[in-house]
Amino acid sequence: MLRSLVTAARRCNATALQGARQYCDMFEGKTQKVERLEKTINQVMLLGRVGANPEMRGSETHPVVTFSLATHINYRKDNDLIQQTDWHRIAVFKPYLRDAVYRYMTKGQRVMVQGKLGYLERKDPNDNTVIKTATIVAEEVIFFNKSGQVDDVQVV
């Protein structure tokens, strides 16, 4: 399998060759034969309002801060203006970012979150089944101050 990845990578370029070797090392036993390497993107950017104050979860060795973020879509139906709200679950694992979010973010604050889509598993306490939930894993959070002025922005 590594030989087919290496062959495919040589066709692309030397950088892809290095990526193919790292891919095989990281996911040993989970590789598959490919004809060509392709780039993928997992990126999410949301601008909305915080639904509740952030919560510290996890253990002391693996802490995580979670919060909900509301975004909405406005549209017209007949003569009425309709607003549809979507809720997103955000998880923050980076130590410096996690601490800043937990300390300074408040309910109702306008923030922009940039991160990637991930699927976290948790056990249902009632019947011990594993539930996978879509979560945005934050890599960067921008706080907008409550004064509402465009210049009042803090990048964390």
Side-chain angles (χ1 to χ4, degrees):
M1 275 191 206
L2 179 59
R3 181 171 286 150
S4 64
L5 284 172
V6 170
T7 304
R10 281 188 180 137
R11 285 186 212 138
C12 296
N13 58 33
T15 307
L17 175 61
Q18 183 181 10
R21 285 186 183 139
Q22 289 174 349
Y23 180 81
C24 286
D25 292 342
M26 283 188 341
F27 299 105
E28 189 173 320
K30 296 182 181 180
T31 59
Q32 60 183 359
K33 185 177 179 179
V34 294
E35 296 299 319
R36 64 186 175 102
L37 295 176
E38 60 185 22
K39 177 145 175 81
T40 62
I41 297 174
N42 180 359
Q43 186 174 13
V44 176
M45 188 172 290
L46 299 171
L47 174 64
R49 296 216 176 256
V50 178
N53 289 334
E55 296 178 7
M56 184 72 76
R57 294 182 174 204
S59 63
E60 287 196 25
T61 55
H62 300 291
V64 61
V65 169
T66 60
F67 64 95
S68 59
L69 188 71
T71 60
H72 62 267
I73 299 170
N74 296 324
Y75 61 94
R76 287 199 179 275
K77 187 174 183 180
D78 299 327
N79 287 333
D80 297 328
L81 185 61
I82 308 293
Q83 186 177 71
Q84 177 184 343
T85 302
D86 294 320
W87 289 94
H88 311 277
R89 181 187 321 266
I90 314 294
V92 186
F93 292 97
K94 287 184 176 179
Y96 69 92
L97 184 59
R98 177 184 64 224
D99 296 339
V101 165
Y102 187 68
R103 188 174 301 152
Y104 300 114
M105 187 181 289
T106 58
K107 178 181 177 179
Q109 187 172 11
R110 191 172 164 102
V111 298
M112 185 169 77
V113 175
Q114 189 256 326
K116 60 184 180 179
L117 184 62
Y119 294 92
L120 301 180
E121 294 181 354
R122 65 180 178 88
K123 286 190 177 182
D124 186 2
N126 297 333
D127 57 2
N128 272 347
T129 58
V130 176
I131 301 171
K132 286 181 106 174
T133 57
T135 303
I136 286 70
V137 178
E139 294 175 359
E140 186 174 348
V141 177
I142 298 175
F143 295 84
F144 291 87
N145 288 340
K146 293 185 177 185
S147 68
Q149 296 177 354
V150 177
D151 295 337
D152 290 346
V153 176
Q154 291 178 326
V155 178
V156 177

